[in-house]
């Protein structure tokens, strides 16, 4: 899964913002001999005081944010084993940010202003609430804890991306492991590849347990019981409300997932030459390290893009994704994107490593936008480039004079992912591909197989994201999951939600959840991705039916300025409008898996037919 980067900025130099005082009008006396009564102190105009404070706060926030993001960029793009200078620089920049956003003076002023929110504008209140939310991640009332947490996060990132994966006696990248898991047919070799991908887990255990304590202590200082609750509050939801929401999504998609799970068990047993069909899917059988995307199980004839994309090369894919957005009416990317992004794999023999996990970065909350990718000429990276540029164009669209710096984010965190994934889906539908000449428009493609491939991507992801990941992190942060039950809990949830089991016993000497990037450096918010898929299908449903008047399974967004205008209207306000209002206004409905379930409904009859006589275990 891809992530965009808008650091949860934490922190910086002991710059206590002064709380601006209200201006007291100069008293004037009337031209008369009679003395005036003593002047009463002027009642402060709270909206003026808020505006003065926000102007000063936002300027300093943007300056420190940019410094911290530059340091994070360096830590992710230039990793030298054994060299801790980048980690040190990142920690110092984040400490400066934390010291500012979490300063006691700022917290006091924010609370005082919010005590008078009935006298403030809605936009002022939103900015102040955002600033107070940021403060909770780095309150300087416990500056030593915040400093330790930042240092620990920087060290964990270095470990995470500096790890030397080994398979068959050779060093391999995560890209290599992913490719092997997509193609290898020997079950024993598959198990070895999968186990190689998990070797990093134990090296991260102490760091993760330490981070749990530090993250929880940090937000507890401002009244949040735990870090999971803090993250959910960004949606305006309590921990219980968020869990209720994600469990509802799982329930709504369960019938489809049950059919896919049964289908996969039998099909993969056949593919790997196994006479015995297991009741639960061995994790090493799936074409993804965490079983979150099974789409590589299916090759749709007439839609195999790998050969043509390999010829076109990596750079063509990035430029083509930009052309797609321009066709919708968005501007060309600013030159800085190409000058400063890290878009392609490092050359062989490079003296440093980089994070190969795709991400999009808003460096200065203005025009400096970059992407960190390792693009190669294949279908996965073709989809990913369109996805990541979705984030980039979201950044650029809400960077406008009507959206204050503090509100330059998605309507909620899931919207950012929804926008990226929506464009990834649009760019892989047959009419779109035919329009680009990537497939022959006349070639016969099996619509059912196309839909199956999509379901094995989108539908199989929900139980992982909203089930395993969200429930494990809830247990980890909110329920203080004991250190000797971390791996057991992970596999208990994988079996319950995904119907997946490890190929061999995985005791507590392993830490398989920590092999997932987000558990370490994007904590307690993986439900963002699950919610984003639901939102993506709601948006796609509206676009295909109401704007393009096309079948949702066979659309071509390319060149539609009306689609571009619809998307820009959602992007432009950033976080200045409530996410529920945005969704209702643009699609006419509240958050619901209805559109997603409906999209895959034609597949259900096929799966039930395939699964006749087969044993269901979920």
């Amino acid at each position: 899964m891809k992530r965009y980067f808008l650091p949860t900025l934490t922190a910086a130099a002991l710059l206590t913002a002064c709380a601006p005082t209200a201006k007291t009008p100069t008293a004037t006396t009337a031209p008369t001999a009679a003395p005036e009564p003593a002047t009463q102190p002027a009642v402060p105009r709270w909206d003026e005081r808020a505006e003065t404070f926000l102007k000063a706060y936002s300027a300093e926030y943007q300056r420190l944010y940019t410094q911290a993001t530059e340091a994070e960029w360096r830590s992710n793009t230039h990793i030298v084993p054994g060299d801790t200078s980048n980690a040190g620089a990142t920690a110092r920049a984040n400490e400066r940010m934390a010291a500012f956003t979490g300063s006691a003076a700022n917290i006091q002023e924010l609370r005082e202003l919010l005590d008078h929110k009935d006298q403030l504008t809605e936009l002022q209140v939103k900015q102040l609430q955002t600033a107070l939310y940021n403060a909770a991640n780095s309150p300087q009332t416990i500056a030593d804890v915040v400093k330790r947490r930042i240092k620990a996060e920087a060290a964990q990132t270095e470990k995470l991306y500096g790890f030397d994966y080994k398979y068959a006696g050779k060093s391999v990248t995560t890209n290599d492991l992913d490719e092997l898991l997509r193609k290898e047919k020997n079950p024993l070799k598959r198990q070895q590849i999968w186990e190689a991908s998990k070797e990093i887990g134990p090296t991260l255990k102490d760091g993760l347990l330490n981070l749990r304590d530090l993250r929880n202590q940090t937000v507890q200082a401002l009244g949040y019981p735990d870090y999971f609750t803090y993250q959910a509050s960004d949606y305006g939801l309590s921990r219980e409300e968020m869990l209720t929401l994600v469990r509802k999504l799982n329930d709504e998609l369960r019938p489809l997932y049950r059919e896919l799970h049964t289908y996969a068990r039998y099909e993969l047993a056949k593919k790997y030459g196994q006479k015995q069909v297991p009741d639960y899917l061995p994790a090493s059988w799936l074409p993804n390290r965490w079983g979150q995307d099974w789409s590589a199980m299916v090759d749709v004839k007439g839609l195999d893009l790998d050969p043509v994309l390999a010829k076109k090369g990596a750079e063509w894919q990035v430029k083509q994704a930009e052309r797609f957005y321009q066709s919708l009416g968005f501007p060309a990317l600013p030159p800085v994107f190409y000058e400063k992004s890290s878009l392609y794999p490092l050359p062989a023999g490079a003296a440093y490593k980089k994070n190969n996990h795709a991400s999009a970065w808003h460096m200065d909350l203005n025009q400096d936008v970059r992407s960190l990718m390792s693009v190669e000429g294949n279908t996965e990276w073709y989809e990913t480039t369109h996805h990541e540029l979705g984030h980039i164009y979201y950044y650029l669209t809400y960077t406008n004079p009507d959206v204050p710096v503090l509100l330059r984010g998605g309507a909620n965190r899931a919207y950012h992912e929804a926008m990226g994934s929506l464009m990834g889906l649009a760019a892989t539908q047959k009419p779109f591909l035919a329009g680009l000449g990537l497939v022959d428009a006349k070639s016969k493609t099996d619509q059912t197989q196309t839909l199956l491939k999509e379901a094995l991507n989108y539908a199989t992801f929900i139980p992982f994201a909203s089930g395993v990941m969200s429930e494990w992190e809830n247990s980890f942060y909110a329920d203080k999951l004991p250190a000797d039950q971390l791996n057991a809990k992970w596999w208990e949830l994988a079996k319950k939600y995904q119907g997946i089991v490890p190929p061999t016993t995985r005791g507590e000497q392993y830490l398989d959840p920590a092999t997932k990037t987000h558990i370490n450096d994007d904590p307690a918010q993986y439900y963002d991705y699950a919610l984003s898929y639901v939102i993506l299908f709601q948006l796609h449903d509206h676009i295909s039916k109401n704007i393009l008047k096309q079948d949702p399974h066979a659309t071509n967004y390319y060149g539609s300025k009306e689609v571009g205008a619809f998307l820009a209207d959602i992007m432009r306000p950033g976080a200045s409008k409530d996410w529920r209002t945005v969704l209702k206004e643009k699609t006419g409905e509240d958050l619901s898996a209805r559109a997603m379930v409906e999209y895959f409904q034609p597949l259900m009859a096929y799966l039930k037919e395939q699964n006749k006589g087969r044993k269901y275990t979920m």
Side-chain angles (χ1 to χ4, degrees):
M1 204 59 224
K2 319 304 173 201
R3 75 181 178 124
Y4 71 101
F5 196 87
L6 192 66
T8 312
L9 286 167
T10 329
L14 232 19
L15 296 154
T16 47
C18 35
T21 48
K23 295 176 184 170
T24 310
T26 310
T28 54
T29 49
T32 167
E36 288 287 347
T39 308
Q40 294 296 312
V43 176
R45 278 284 305 270
W46 288 101
D47 57 340
E48 288 176 8
R49 180 166 161 178
E51 205 54 42
T52 306
F53 171 79
L54 283 167
K55 189 175 177 186
Y57 179 98
S58 297
E60 186 62 3
Y61 177 88
Q62 189 170 17
R63 184 181 79 80
L64 293 167
Y65 173 99
T66 304
Q67 288 180 2
T69 314
E70 284 284 5
E72 294 272 9
W73 176 260
R74 180 91 180 154
S75 277
N76 279 268
T77 57
H78 201 274
I79 302 164
V80 179
D83 180 356
T84 59
S85 56
N86 281 342
T90 298
R92 288 189 295 276
N94 280 333
E95 281 161 21
R96 289 193 294 274
M97 186 73 186
F100 172 70
T101 57
S103 81
N106 278 339
I107 291 169
Q108 185 182 337
E109 181 68 2
L110 289 164
R111 283 176 159 164
E112 195 172 343
L113 289 166
L114 284 167
D115 280 344
H116 298 86
K117 65 181 179 185
D118 57 329
Q119 296 172 53
L120 307 179
T121 68
E122 197 178 324
L123 203 57
Q124 287 175 332
V125 171
K126 256 195 174 297
Q127 290 174 83
L128 294 167
Q129 286 172 337
T130 299
L132 194 58
Y133 178 82
N134 290 343
N137 207 27
S138 48
Q140 295 306 292
T141 47
I142 52 162
D144 59 323
V145 175
V146 173
K147 192 168 183 175
R148 291 206 317 272
R149 193 205 76 220
I150 290 164
K151 191 176 176 185
E153 284 176 332
Q156 192 82 340
T157 295
E158 292 268 320
K159 256 189 195 163
L160 186 62
Y161 299 123
F163 188 76
D164 185 17
Y165 290 90
K166 290 271 189 356
Y167 172 63
K170 291 182 188 164
S171 290
V172 289
T173 67
T174 49
N175 269 9
D176 296 333
L177 292 169
D178 291 340
E179 184 70 5
L180 287 165
L181 282 175
R182 281 195 291 271
K183 298 197 167 160
E184 180 57 60
K185 288 187 181 172
N186 180 310
L188 189 59
K189 284 186 183 173
R190 292 192 64 84
Q191 184 177 325
Q192 290 165 352
I193 297 158
W194 183 86
E195 285 170 351
S197 79
K198 302 298 171 190
E199 287 296 317
I200 190 174
T203 72
L204 298 165
K205 186 169 186 174
D206 290 345
L208 189 61
L209 286 165
N210 182 38
L211 280 171
R212 169 177 61 187
D213 294 341
L214 293 171
R215 284 165 176 160
N216 275 347
Q217 286 170 40
T218 302
V219 298
Q220 281 161 358
L222 253 72
Y224 294 93
D226 60 84
Y227 198 77
F228 192 94
T229 302
Y230 166 71
Q231 291 284 53
S233 74
D234 196 32
Y235 282 77
L237 300 174
S238 68
R239 175 169 78 99
E240 293 74 18
E241 286 168 336
M242 180 57 80
L243 289 168
T244 299
L245 181 60
V246 294
R247 285 166 186 164
K248 175 174 167 275
L249 297 182
N250 264 312
D251 288 345
E252 287 175 338
L253 284 158
R254 186 77 170 187
L256 174 60
Y257 187 78
R258 185 169 174 262
E259 296 295 339
L260 290 168
H261 180 266
T262 307
Y263 175 83
R265 281 173 30 243
Y266 282 82
E267 294 301 312
L268 290 175
K270 204 187 301 174
K271 182 177 180 178
Y272 303 141
Q274 303 298 298
K275 287 183 181 147
Q276 186 67 36
V277 177
D279 283 352
Y280 293 93
L281 279 165
S284 56
W285 279 23
L286 291 161
N288 172 275
R289 284 176 272 161
W290 305 280
Q292 68 181 60
D293 175 2
W294 310 354
S295 57
M297 278 177 60
V298 175
D299 286 322
V300 182
K301 287 194 179 82
L303 279 183
D304 181 12
L305 301 179
D306 282 353
V308 66
L309 291 173
K311 281 184 196 152
K312 287 188 176 288
E315 193 176 326
W316 179 88
Q317 293 187 149
V318 179
K319 290 285 190 184
Q320 179 50 45
E322 180 186 18
R323 283 191 288 273
F324 171 33
Y325 287 92
Q326 288 181 278
S327 84
L328 300 177
F330 291 98
L333 289 167
V336 69
F337 176 82
Y338 288 106
E339 289 160 10
K340 295 194 173 179
S341 288
S342 176
L343 299 171
Y344 309 107
L346 294 176
Y352 62 95
K353 292 176 180 281
K354 73 179 214 180
N355 173 1
N356 285 315
H357 193 83
S359 50
W361 299 55
H362 199 184
M363 302 300 297
D364 60 353
L365 299 176
N366 200 347
Q367 296 299 308
D368 186 349
V369 290
R370 303 178 200 171
S371 186
L372 170 55
M373 295 192 276
S374 292
V375 182
E376 296 179 292
N378 62 38
T379 309
E380 184 179 1
W381 279 108
Y382 166 82
E383 187 274 333
T384 299
T385 52
H386 286 78
H387 177 114
E388 294 307 327
L389 288 199
H391 295 309
I392 297 291
Y393 275 104
Y394 205 162
Y395 297 149
L396 293 170
T397 308
Y398 58 57
T399 299
N400 66 67
D402 294 332
V403 180
V405 161
L406 286 171
L407 300 179
R408 288 181 183 173
N412 63 28
R413 294 191 308 256
Y415 268 74
H416 244 292
E417 286 306 320
M419 221 38 95
S421 297
L422 173 67
M423 303 317 258
L425 172 70
T428 53
Q429 294 210 320
K430 188 183 173 184
F432 183 101
L433 295 169
L436 291 183
L438 294 175
V439 299
D440 182 351
K442 292 177 188 156
S443 70
K444 289 272 186 269
T445 49
D446 188 324
Q447 183 60 48
T448 302
Q449 288 301 297
T450 305
L451 204 51
L452 176 60
K453 190 174 181 72
E454 289 175 344
L456 291 170
N457 175 1
Y458 295 102
T460 60
F461 179 73
I462 298 291
F464 175 72
S466 62
V468 182
M469 285 287 284
S470 297
E471 298 280 2
W472 190 87
E473 290 195 289
N474 172 59
S475 291
F476 187 62
Y477 288 101
D479 300 334
K480 317 296 183 293
L481 184 63
D484 62 355
Q485 294 175 30
L486 303 182
N487 224 40
K489 183 69 174 177
W490 178 260
W491 288 109
E492 174 199 317
L493 291 166
K495 187 175 183 182
K496 175 183 174 181
Y497 283 101
Q498 293 179 284
I500 292 174
V501 292
T504 55
T505 304
R506 304 286 290 179
E508 293 303 320
Q509 72 271 34
Y510 301 106
L511 188 57
D512 296 324
T515 67
K516 185 69 181 163
T517 305
H518 306 70
I519 294 280
N520 299 279
D521 63 2
D522 212 7
Q525 56 182 39
Y526 205 76
Y527 47 76
D528 290 355
Y529 297 103
L531 298 177
S532 79
Y533 276 10
V534 171
I535 293 168
L536 126 72
F537 278 99
Q538 286 185 267
L539 297 179
H540 180 67
D541 187 72
H542 181 86
I543 288 169
S544 51
K545 291 178 182 172
N546 300 315
I547 299 177
L548 296 173
K549 316 286 192 217
Q550 294 171 0
D551 175 358
H553 307 98
T555 62
N556 189 356
Y557 289 20
Y558 209 96
S560 171
K561 298 292 192 285
E562 201 179 340
V563 169
F566 171 80
L567 295 173
D569 281 350
I570 293 171
M571 295 174 169
R572 199 173 295 105
S576 65
K577 275 178 87 168
D578 185 275
W579 66 271
R580 288 157 284 212
T581 306
V582 172
L583 191 64
K584 185 82 172 178
E585 282 180 0
K586 298 310 291 181
T587 68
E589 63 179 352
D590 296 318
L591 186 76
S592 156
R594 176 212 54 84
M596 192 172 180
V597 170
E598 195 176 292
Y599 184 89
F600 290 112
Q601 200 54 44
L603 185 65
M604 285 293 276
Y606 169 81
L607 288 171
K608 282 181 174 165
E609 184 61 36
Q610 297 298 305
N611 289 334
K612 256 187 193 164
R614 290 174 172 178
K615 179 183 177 185
Y616 288 82
T617 52
M618 285 197 74

